[in-house]
Amino acid sequence: MMIAARRHISLAIVLVLIATLGFGLYSGAKTSAQVVAVSANLLDNASFESGTSTGWEGMAGTEAISIVSSPVFEGSYSALVAGRQDEWHGIAQSLLGKLTAGQTYDISASVRLKNASSGRVLLTMQQSDGSGDNYLRVAESPVTDSAWMTLRGSFLYEPADTATSLRLYFEGPEAGIDFYVDDVVVAERAAIDWKAEADARIEQLRKGDVQILVTDEQGRPLSGANVEVQQTRNGFPFGSAMSETVLSNSQYSNFFKDHFNWAVFENESKWYANETSKGNVNYTVADRMMQFAEENDITVRGHTVHWEVEQYQPSWVKSLQGNELRQAMDDRITSVVNHFKGKFVHWDVNNEMMHGSFFKDRLGETIWPYMYQRTKELDPDAKLFVNDYNVISQPGDNDYKLHIQELLSQGAPIDGIGVQGHFGATIDPITVKQRLDNLATLNLPIWISEYDSTQPNENIRADNLEALYRIAFSHPSVEGIMMWGFWAGNHWRGADAAIVNMDWSLNAAGQRYMALMDEWTTNQSGTTSANGQYAFRGFHGTYDVTVSKGNLRTKKSFELEPGSGVLSVAVQLDDSGGEPEPVPTGDLKVQYKAGDINPNDNQFKPHFNIVNTGPAGVPLSELTLRYYFTTDGNDSLVFNCDWAVVGCSNLSGKFVKLDTAAPEADAYLEISFTASAGTLTAGGSTGEIQTRSHNSSWTNFNESNDYSFDSTKTTFANEEKVTLYRNGALVWGNEP
């Protein structure tokens, strides 16, 4: 904040929202996040336990600073700041000569008002150097007179040249408001391996132990059986906003169903989209999107029953007042909640109440809890969320926490906290975790309800995505992450926020997202022990386990859910469950899914993923893949690569007639790779390869009699009817 009393000074005043750590409201002992070794604190007399104000001064020089024994946050004394004649007046201490250029410093302090029930306190660093006098915001928070509020922030010290002044000071409440300060800490941030810490939490929180027991038909343990475990769906919600584009663009719809298990309609279930004029209610587009989601096993969040910001009301609503507005508001709740009852599992009930007051200004404060109560009455099974922005991307978590507490005290049945994560250039994962920690003290589930990061440099954009996803996935209170769009062609913040380029190639952020999804998906294999057991630890979700020995083979699905103990899965291998075909063995496997399940249209769209379970890398140029089908007619065939993680330019496809036609195949599509495709690393995969082929005349196919086509496989699974060759030798699959 630039204070009026300073405007006459010719200064370059820069207010920068430094990555600010989360705030918390505390009335007792410090949490571990607050504890900093005394020796690390760079301030003098930081807790005022000397009983004096030594080391501290008034920022303006006119403030009255006294040391008091009550109230205190901790210890025996705190400081009282009085006699403030302007907002920027407060207590200060010089840090000149104590900080190292290029280092980040974590800063915290506990504050409480004396003679006002509410106000805002700011922690500011005044820095004078070659660029002039700068005022850098470190932290800010609402503060009351009823309890201590702890502010936390971080400060990156980057002087233009030698600093001539460097002071940390408190400001913000209106002139005349006195406030207490206690336990101020400025400490250099230690080197923290945040990734390792997050991964340790992920290992504990997001995975479970499984023991597979394989027996023969007499129930005897079967040793030496081959066990292949494949996770087919992640139990954790990784979703995205879905736009109407899903209904008209096959590349968009294919990408969505292949990479997200949850959705939220970007605009199509908002009031202004559903009722463009009074009484003209239309859910046609939203219903079609819901049908797509249901057909592809995608769970949907509801967004939003109401939106508190005035500009987003339907145009015909803005002029309504009193009972007429109340009736329209009520009709909307009744209509939309009943329409999507049993379909939307969540509802953002009244979006962005911290940034708008359209209904509250016109209908009174009780309208907010009423909206939640009425929604819960209509759909008791739906989880009801608050949803707002600038609460983890900026220092708004304390405001949000107090806002939610107020709603709860008014009787609003809130089931979860939606935190919008619309970030700018960089994301500090330590800061994000602190803010999530603060909100988690409300003991409600947290969802990252809207994520994106606008960053022209796609590599930094990738780092940002990983920082947010890894921290959120590792947080015990976070139960889902929703990306707010993915394709440059219709991202609300433009191409610089997308993970997929306009031409459907993955940029660095998209590649990072795919790598994280691979990292957090369990696929492994081995053999049973002497007692018929095969044990593994995997991510929560849905699994297929395939067991084989000799000519016998069986497959079973199971669900690994969060909870204590080891999940036991019994698999019986006998003649009734066996298959006469030899099971492919080796380190290389082909996974397949049908990109288009309609067998009678004018294109066929097999998607592939080649997995290397072996100990050594394999040059992709040594591999060829074959997909078998029946040609329908004599037209020439056209091959297209729509998208591939390895790059469509690094592969090619051709069509080959079989010398002797089989009942379900007279030709195959062969895909090969160039040397520039690189190496299929040990334990890695090619990632998704999306192909599309058609007749030159665009006549329809009949895929129902194609050897390799399987319309039931809408998620990747091992497919033995697609063959793989290394240097011409068959290494996977069964030829027709």
Side-chain angles (χ1 to χ4, degrees), residues 62-95:
T62 59
E63 302 90 340
I65 300 174
S66 58
I67 305 304
V68 299
S69 58
S70 179
V72 297
F73 177 69
E74 190 175 74
S76 301
Y77 299 102
S78 66
L80 172 62
V81 185
R84 301 175 59 253
Q85 300 172 23
D86 210 332
E87 290 184 359
W88 61 275
H89 290 187
I91 190 170
Q93 184 169 146
S94 173
L95 288 162

Side-chain angles (χ1 to χ4, degrees), residues 648-664:
C648 284
S649 61
N650 295 321
L651 60 85
S652 61
K654 67 178 182 179
F655 300 96
V656 179
K657 279 280 191 179
L658 288 171
D659 293 334
T660 303
E664 296 179 301

Side-chain angles (χ1 to χ4, degrees), residues 43-55:
L43 292 170
D44 296 325
N45 193 23
S47 298
F48 308 101
E49 292 305 294
S50 68
T52 71
S53 60
T54 301

